[in-house]
Amino acid sequence: MESGLYIVATPIGNLGDLSPRALAVLGGADLVAAEDTRHTRRLFAHHGIDSRLTAYHEHSDAAAAERLCDRVAAGEAVALVSDAGTPLVSDPGYRLVRLAQDRGLPVVPVPGPCAAVTALSAAGLPSDRFRFEGFLPAKAGPRAARLAALADERATLVFYEAPHRVLETLEALVDAFGAGREAVLARELSKAFETIRRAPLGALRDFVAGDADQRRGEIVLLIAGSDAAEPQIDAALGQLALELARDLPAKRVAALLSGYSGVRKNQLYRWLLEQGD
């Protein structure tokens, strides 16, 4: 193999999804830098690869990246892999790539699986424009702020989420976008218990809440972009909101009527505040 830093996509589930080119690169590399060497060894064992492995992950220091680039500069072929999918999509490998580029070393992408694109291809949502947001903030306040900034985005939104947070995140999505916004849960893609379910956000939240199995594994959430045809606050809904607001806090009214009408909770809340100005 020619010297270079090879960015190699690996399977997100089904080990048969490793491309022939990726197999050749991983088998021929002088060194493979892996996010988790234990995980990558399972892939190697399945395909009979015996290349040398070293760890390179988010906690690796700058010296580790320098050492890898030194090997490329010395004429070796070094491959970079993540635990699954395409490296640098929601992982810190870009630091190594930037360093290699800054040192004038060849950087060679070897394309293949990516959970975000795989989910988008089977979601049934518009894919001509999409916005990949990776993982949302774990804390409620920053997460709500990020979602509020995306409420009027017209492109399909793509998020990764941890299984222990998926229900909490779906609740936040309902609050931000309304129970009626169309969404997709894509879970355990290409694996034995793959789930791809498209439904309004409120129904998707209820589905996940009612089935603990949907809170396991690797998860991608996709949200339809904002549409001018989304439910709006018409005269009847506005009158009902004002009547309820006589006896209830505005946030409580917004929460109650969002599920009833499909209008976003934040939109209802802002509208009620405006009526008091």
Side-chain angles (χ1 to χ4, degrees), residues 58-101:
E58 62 180 333
H59 302 298
S60 298
D61 58 19
E66 290 283 2
R67 286 193 295 270
L68 292 172
C69 287
D70 287 344
R71 297 188 68 140
V72 175
E76 294 188 3
V78 175
L80 175 69
V81 299
S82 63
D83 281 352
T86 300
L88 280 70
V89 178
S90 262
D91 82 25
Y94 75 91
R95 299 188 188 97
L96 176 59
V97 170
R98 284 175 65 89
L99 179 61
Q101 291 171 335

Side-chain angles (χ1 to χ4, degrees), residues 136-149 161 165 168-169 172-173 176:
L136 285 164
K139 294 185 177 179
R143 181 174 56 224
R146 172 88 68 85
L147 292 176
E161 193 49 275
R165 283 201 307 263
E168 184 181 349
T169 294
L173 289 165

Side-chain angles (χ1 to χ4, degrees), residues 25-267:
V25 169
L26 293 176
D30 297 292
L31 182 67
V32 177
E35 187 175 2
D36 184 334
T37 56
R38 295 167 300 178
H39 182 92
T40 302
R41 280 194 181 95
R42 291 195 289 271
L43 176 70
F44 278 20
H46 180 84
H47 288 283
I49 300 168
D50 60 2
S51 297
R52 183 183 172 195
L53 279 166
T54 190
Y56 183 80
H57 45 70
E58 62 180 333
H59 302 298
S60 298
D61 58 19
E66 290 283 2
R67 286 193 295 270
L68 292 172
C69 287
D70 287 344
R71 297 188 68 140
V72 175
E76 294 188 3
V78 175
L80 175 69
V81 299
S82 63
D83 281 352
T86 300
L88 280 70
V89 178
S90 262
D91 82 25
Y94 75 91
R95 299 188 188 97
L96 176 59
V97 170
R98 284 175 65 89
L99 179 61
Q101 291 171 335
D102 290 345
R103 291 181 56 171
L105 303 172
V107 176
V108 184
V110 181
C114 171
V117 175
T118 301
L120 189 65
S121 72
L125 296 178
S127 56
D128 54 330
R129 289 183 59 218
F130 66 93
R131 178 166 172 166
F132 177 67
E133 285 288 319
F135 287 92
L136 285 164
K139 294 185 177 179
R143 181 174 56 224
R146 172 88 68 85
L147 292 176
L150 295 170
D152 296 320
E153 173 61 59
R154 291 185 173 270
T156 295
L157 299 171
V158 184
F159 301 97
Y160 288 165
E161 193 49 275
H164 65 279
R165 283 201 307 263
V166 65
L167 185 55
E168 184 181 349
T169 294
L170 284 167
E171 293 280 6
L173 289 165
V174 169
D175 288 346
F177 301 148
R181 180 81 72 93
E182 194 172 38
V184 173
L185 169 74
R187 187 184 69 87
E188 292 290 84
L189 291 168
S190 81
K191 299 177 184 175
F193 298 103
E194 178 179 87
T195 300
I196 301 174
R197 188 178 184 95
R198 177 165 54 89
L201 265 172
L204 203 59
R205 172 200 57 199
D206 294 344
F207 169 66
V208 172
D211 183 353
D213 286 340
Q214 304 309 320
R215 302 192 295 275
R216 298 175 180 170
E218 304 294 327
I219 294 168
V220 184
L221 294 171
L222 305 97
I223 316 298
S226 177
D227 188 330
E230 284 185 344
Q232 301 297 311
I233 303 172
D234 58 22
L237 180 61
Q239 184 61 38
L240 178 58
L242 290 172
E243 291 289 338
L244 290 173
R246 292 179 179 177
D247 302 309
L248 296 171
K251 284 189 176 180
R252 178 61 177 156
V253 173
L256 286 170
L257 293 185
S258 177
Y260 160 77
S261 65
V263 176
R264 297 195 305 266
K265 177 182 173 181
N266 290 349
Q267 182 181 353

